[in-house]
């Protein structure tokens, strides 16, 4: 496994030579959700997805207007935040969008410089560089808006040694379900409005120095009923990958339109999290009540040996077991990947998760798009939103 990962990273560095280095990114720092009830959301991520209690801030720690629970699994850190009164931008966000991702925080060496470089290239300010400190040291954060009301926060934590951020305390809990093997965030996808994809592609190129390394048009991503377009943006070292989707005309309403209608604007559509053992991870998630999209038809699995070609001999997993768990398979020149998608994790049909295991492949499962969208359409049909 480690050999394949190495070659992936080497491949990315070669591809992303065109990226600019004015905004060096070390990785994803955290993802913050604005939700209606952070206590219950944190419990859900612990119980269902195997996250661990990490840090807490609320009334007990001197926070007057909000409460935040931080949960962690390997390198993934999620923050669940709720307003404590009605006069709060957090509450407004939840009222409009439902539970959703507010902040995609990026770990940087120098947050002031990241803020300066991006705002001088046109980024809209969310938060000026701010120093927060406690007995564990100091953190500098600064934020800019991306699509919709979503924010990128730059986090500089080289002088900090606490559990999360200053003024958070370690969250000690007696309830600690075991992790399910989720390792890191592989990519995060944004849905934007009609005709807006190229605006945001250009924004990531100009403001963040990213490159567009993969594109899919509506001729490649369509079913009998609906279509969409997608472009994948990456930073120079390939650690941060943001595909951007926009709806395309079809006979019926696409899943992207459904998202935009229910989220009431652009926002994060899915978070893809990596595992080294998707079979074990998905078995555990299913046992804990996580709901996945239904399996592609039998013919999909029958066609896999031919689709995978030479990669089929490399495949360690049993095809029958993958089929039983509804895990999908795709391949490119460099290897294969295994992936599966959850149903939306809130009542509005908006944000969902992807579980992905890369065995050398760098793609996003383009060979699965049709089967995936047909599965989503079966769900849309039940909701009356197709
Ligand atoms: Fe994805």
């Amino acid at each position: 496994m480690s050999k394949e990962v190495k070659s992936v990273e080497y491949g990315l560095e070669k591809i992303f030579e065109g990226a600019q280095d004015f905004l060096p990114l070390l990785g994803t720092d955290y993802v913050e959700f604005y939700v209606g009830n952070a206590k219950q959301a944190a419990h859900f991520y612990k119980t269902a997805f195997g996250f661990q209690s990490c840090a807490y801030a609320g009334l007990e720690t001197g926070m007057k207007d909000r409460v935040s629970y931080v949960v962690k699994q390997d390198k993934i850190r999620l923050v669940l935040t709720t307003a404590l009164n009605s006069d709060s931008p957090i509450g407004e966000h939840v009222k409009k969008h439902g539970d959703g991702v507010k902040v995609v925080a990026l770990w940087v060496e120098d947050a002031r410089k990241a803020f300066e470089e991006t705002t001088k290239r046109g980024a809209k300010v969310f938060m000026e560089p701010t120093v927060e400190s406690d007995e564990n040291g100091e953190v500098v954060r600064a934020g800019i808006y991306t699509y919709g009301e979503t924010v990128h926060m730059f986090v500089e934590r080289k002088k900090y040694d606490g559990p999360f951020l200053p003024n958070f305390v370690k969250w000690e809990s007696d309830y600690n379900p075991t992790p399910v093997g989720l390792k890191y965030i592989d990519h995060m996808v944004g849905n934007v409005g009609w005709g807006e994809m190229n605006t945001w592609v250009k924004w990531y190129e100009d403001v963040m120095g990213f490159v567009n390394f993969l594109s899919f048009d509506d001729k490649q991503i369509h079913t009998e009923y609906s279509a969409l377009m997608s472009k994948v943006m990456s930073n120079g070292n390939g650690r941060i990958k943001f595909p951007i989707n926009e709806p395309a005309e079809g006979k019926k309403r696409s899943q992207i339109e459904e998202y935009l209608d229910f989220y009431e604007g652009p926002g994060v559509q899915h978070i893809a999290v990596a595992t080294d053992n998707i079979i074990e991870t998905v078995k555990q998630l299913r046992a804990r009540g996580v709901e996945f999209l239904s399996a592609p038809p039998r013919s999909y699995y029958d066609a896999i040996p031919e689709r995978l070609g030479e990669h089929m001999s490399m495949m360690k997993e049993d095809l029958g077991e993958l089929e039983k768990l509804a895990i999908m398979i795709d391949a490119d020149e460099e290897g294969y990947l295994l992936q599966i998608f959850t149903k939306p994790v809130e009542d509005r049909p908006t944000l969902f998760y992807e579980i992905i295991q890369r065995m050398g492949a760098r793609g996003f499962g383009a060979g699965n798009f049709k089967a995936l969208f047909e599965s989503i359409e079966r769900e849309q049909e039940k909701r009356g939103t197709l």
Side-chain angles (χ1 to χ4, degrees):
M1 183 64 196
S2 63
K3 192 167 153 265
E4 276 121 340
V5 169
K6 231 187 211 163
S7 78
V8 169
E9 281 172 4
Y10 175 62
L12 290 174
E13 267 156 26
K14 269 205 311 194
I15 282 185
F16 303 143
E17 270 166 9
Q20 296 176 56
D21 59 1
F22 61 81
L23 182 62
L25 300 174
L26 303 170
T28 307
D29 195 284
Y30 63 87
V31 179
E32 182 170 21
F33 299 72
Y34 282 178
V35 299
N37 187 332
K39 179 179 273 196
Q40 291 186 6
H43 191 280
F44 171 78
Y45 280 104
K46 285 171 68 171
T47 304
F49 282 91
F51 280 83
Q52 309 295 299
S53 309
C54 172
Y56 171 82
L59 290 171
E60 298 84 347
T61 69
M63 200 80 103
K64 296 280 189 276
D65 65 333
R66 65 180 67 188
V67 53
S68 293
Y69 293 80
V70 186
V71 293
K72 196 169 186 282
Q73 189 162 181
D74 205 325
K75 293 193 172 66
I76 312 163
R77 217 161 18 200
L78 307 182
V79 183
L80 292 320
T81 296
T82 288
L84 288 173
N85 56 62
S86 62
D87 181 25
S88 159
I90 298 162
E92 288 302 317
H93 197 277
V94 174
K95 182 181 171 195
K96 184 166 175 62
H97 304 294
D99 287 6
V101 172
K102 176 63 180 178
V103 179
V104 178
L106 302 167
W107 177 29
V108 296
E109 202 48 40
D110 185 339
R112 291 181 185 87
K113 182 159 184 295
F115 181 79
E116 191 193 305
E117 295 288 348
T118 50
T119 51
K120 88 176 178 205
R121 287 172 169 83
K124 193 175 138 199
V125 176
F126 173 72
M127 186 175 98
E128 297 278 341
T130 306
V131 182
E132 294 153 297
S133 61
D134 65 11
E135 69 278 9
N136 297 308
E138 66 169 50
V139 170
V140 188
R141 287 193 302 159
I144 59 170
Y145 279 98
T146 171
Y147 46 78
E149 291 197 273
T150 317
V151 164
H152 286 315
M153 191 76 89
F154 301 117
V155 185
E156 171 189 332
R157 48 170 72 255
K158 56 181 181 269
K159 292 183 192 157
Y160 194 67
D161 193 26
F164 177 53
L165 290 175
N167 308 314
F168 275 76
V169 294
K170 190 165 191 291
W171 176 15
E172 305 273 9
S173 172
D174 294 332
Y175 177 63
N176 303 299
T178 52
V180 299
L182 304 178
K183 300 276 182 194
Y184 60 88
I185 293 178
D186 185 274
H187 60 275
M188 291 186 69
V189 181
N191 282 342
V192 301
W194 292 94
E196 288 180 4
M197 179 176 67
N198 287 328
T199 308
W200 288 103
V201 165
K202 195 166 161 23
W203 187 91
Y204 275 101
E205 286 171 348
D206 294 349
V207 174
M208 305 275 284
F210 281 37
V211 286
N212 170 212
F213 83 103
L214 273 177
S215 299
F216 306 98
D217 64 22
D218 47 341
K219 287 179 195 67
Q220 291 160 285
I221 314 184
H222 70 94
T223 65
E224 190 188 342
Y225 299 122
S226 67
L228 65 87
M229 296 181 274
S230 187
K231 289 191 175 178
V232 184
M233 306 306 294
S234 174
N235 78 320
N237 63 19
R239 287 185 204 172
I240 308 293
K241 291 186 285 294
F242 293 143
I244 300 168
N245 295 334
E246 94 168 56
E249 289 293 347
K251 280 190 214 155
K252 295 190 177 182
R253 184 155 68 152
S254 78
Q255 46 150 325
I256 311 300
E257 282 176 271
E258 184 194 39
Y259 176 102
L260 294 169
D261 289 348
F262 280 91
Y263 198 72
E264 298 190 15
V268 173
Q269 179 214 33
H270 77 266
I271 303 175
V273 287
T275 170
D276 286 343
N277 187 343
I278 196 165
I279 289 182
E280 273 316 304
T281 298
V282 171
K283 272 186 192 164
Q284 290 208 32
L285 291 171
R286 285 189 180 280
R288 291 160 184 234
V290 173
E291 295 179 325
F292 292 94
L293 290 173
S294 58
R298 191 66 208 257
S299 55
Y300 168 93
Y301 290 94
D302 290 341
I304 289 292
E306 206 186 316
R307 248 181 72 201
L308 254 66
E310 57 180 294
H311 298 306
M312 196 62 204
S313 58
M314 281 167 51
M315 205 166 107
K316 298 180 190 80
E317 296 76 14
D318 176 59
L319 202 52
E321 192 157 31
L322 294 174
E323 180 178 1
K324 212 170 72 194
L325 292 166
I327 295 167
M328 297 193 291
I329 306 115
D330 198 23
D332 61 20
E333 315 77 53
E334 283 158 277
Y336 67 99
L337 63 80
L338 303 167
Q339 63 184 171
I340 188 168
F341 298 84
T342 72
K343 291 183 183 178
V345 292
E346 55 289 298
D347 293 303
R348 296 195 200 189
T350 53
L351 178 85
F352 59 89
Y353 285 84
E354 171 182 352
I355 314 298
I356 184 167
Q357 180 179 354
R358 291 188 182 278
M359 300 301 286
R362 289 182 290 117
F364 295 83
N368 290 327
F369 286 167
K370 193 166 189 290
L372 168 65
F373 299 148
E374 282 169 352
S375 182
I376 293 176
E377 283 169 6
R378 289 194 287 275
E379 296 295 317
Q380 281 182 271
E381 187 84 68
K382 290 182 212 159
R383 293 193 282 263
T385 59
L386 184 61

